[in-house]
Amino acid sequence: NVLADYQGTAILEKRLSEKLGISRCIVLPGNADKQYRVVDSFGRRLNQLLGSVLPNGQSMISVTGGSTLAQVARNLSPDLSKNRKLVFLPARGGVGESVTIQANSVCAEMALRTQGQYRAMYLPEDISEKSFESLQKETSIKSVLELIYRSDVVIHSIGTASVMAERRNLSAKEQEIIDNGDAVSEAFGDFFDQSGKLVYKVPRIGLHVRDLDKIKYVVAIAGGQSKAKAIQSYMKNAPHHTILITDEGASKLILRDN
Ligand code: G3H
């Protein structure tokens, strides 16, 4: 019964948005931990969502890295560029992370799939304050950074703290802070515990969670039961206008948890 299913999903999405304190959730069938194709469906749904909200003309879209968004990118399509000029930007530097999933690669793939344009920013994510100051003055970097802060859309994922701490090659000292602080989630280099408290911030170039308030469309994409706790933790800090694309696997666990 399609109508019953639709109403069931609409109720689930509404409850989830209320529980997470954000404006909208889109819940797709399945569990991304077990079914690889669920992440493809996130990508197709994102394509549809952007197609329905983006105006004609130019839009600047910043994207983060990670395996979810790398797969999402492959499901965008050229229809999105009809009457539009899309420019994809890396929301942060990416060197240090595996090339295939760094923000630069995700935004190049999105541009390729949609026949849009992209700008790259080849910078380490973790950088000393001194180098950051001098690098910011470099014209090629400065121009991309300025565009990022003026993005119309941000598309980001939410990571599990332990997985992200390992992937970001953090030092033993940083790892200890994250472990002792019981961090469960990571987004934009910020590690949060279950109550949403900031446990550790990787010094970095690019967008921060606080910058999201100024960006018109913020789309978070994360699914699978293994991401339920991370989603809940990060959403305590997310701007209210965040739209979450997730799956039944994560949603049901979040709604079950008191
Ligand atoms: O910041 C969050 C991570 O980019 C998420 O990575 O999609 O591989 O879990 P993932």
Side-chain angles (χ1 to χ4, degrees):
N1 184 331
V2 176
L3 196 60
D5 275 0
Y6 172 75
Q7 283 172 345
T9 307
I11 293 168
L12 181 69
E13 289 174 340
K14 190 160 179 287
R15 283 207 194 121
L16 191 65
S17 315
E18 282 165 5
K19 176 130 195 191
L20 294 174
I22 55 172
S23 62
R24 187 173 173 199
C25 290
I26 296 170
V27 179
L28 296 171
N31 172 7
D33 290 341
K34 296 201 173 128
Q35 300 141 320
Y36 187 75
R37 59 171 177 80
V38 173
V39 182
D40 291 325
S41 75
F42 293 166
R44 291 191 298 272
R45 192 63 184 86
L46 174 70
N47 201 82
Q48 221 175 60
L49 176 73
L50 295 178
S52 67
V53 299
L54 292 184
N56 288 348
Q58 178 168 294
S59 284
M60 286 188 293
I61 305 175
S62 288
V63 297
T64 65
S67 55
T68 309
L69 288 193
Q71 195 181 335
V72 160
R74 295 196 284 272
N75 289 278
L76 297 188
S77 61
D79 57 279
L80 210 50
S81 287
K82 193 166 177 257
N83 301 322
R84 297 189 184 101
K85 182 187 166 199
L86 302 181
V87 183
F88 293 90
L89 307 155
R92 56 195 193 207
V95 180
E97 209 165 25
S98 146
V99 168
T100 50
I101 61 167
Q102 61 177 242
N104 282 310
S105 311
V106 173
C107 84
E109 182 71 20
M110 288 190 173
L112 182 79
R113 298 287 172 164
T114 59
Q115 293 173 0
Q117 297 174 2
Y118 75 97
R119 300 281 301 269
M121 185 168 64
Y122 294 109
L123 271 183
E125 290 200 36
D126 44 349
I127 192 166
S128 73
E129 207 156 320
K130 212 169 141 214
S131 325
F132 177 61
E133 273 163 30
S134 56
L135 279 169
Q136 260 186 319
K137 293 186 190 119
E138 292 289 329
T139 326
S140 66
I141 291 163
K142 206 172 144 197
S143 63
V144 181
L145 276 174
E146 280 169 4
L147 292 178
I148 290 171
Y149 295 122
R150 289 175 21 223
S151 299
D152 304 290
V153 185
V154 170
I155 302 164
H156 72 92
S157 185
I158 302 158
T160 307
S162 54
V163 175
M164 296 311 295
E166 202 160 308
R167 195 189 287 168
R168 298 208 186 289
N169 277 327
L170 299 184
S171 68
K173 201 173 153 225
E174 291 173 303
Q175 182 83 52
E176 203 182 304
I177 300 172
I178 289 165
D179 289 347
N180 292 345
D182 293 324
V184 293
S185 68
E186 188 267 4
F188 300 96
D190 286 350
F191 287 81
F192 302 102
D193 73 6
Q194 202 154 359
S195 69
K197 196 178 108 212
L198 182 69
V199 169
Y200 184 67
K201 197 174 184 64
V202 181
R204 60 180 30 255
I205 270 190
L207 276 188
H208 293 262
V209 177
R210 62 168 183 268
D211 300 316
L212 302 180
D213 285 334
K214 288 170 264 156
I215 293 169
K216 188 161 184 192
Y217 298 108
V218 177
V219 186
I221 308 181
Q225 292 181 317
S226 61
K227 288 277 179 92
K229 280 201 161 36
I231 294 171
Q232 273 182 289
S233 150
Y234 168 73
M235 287 303 169
K236 300 209 158 78
N237 292 277
H240 182 262
H241 68 296
T242 299
I243 301 173
L244 171 69
I245 300 181
T246 188
D247 60 15
E248 288 171 341
S251 313
K252 291 191 172 154
L253 269 190
I254 295 170
L255 288 171
R256 210 171 57 189
D257 195 12
N258 286 315

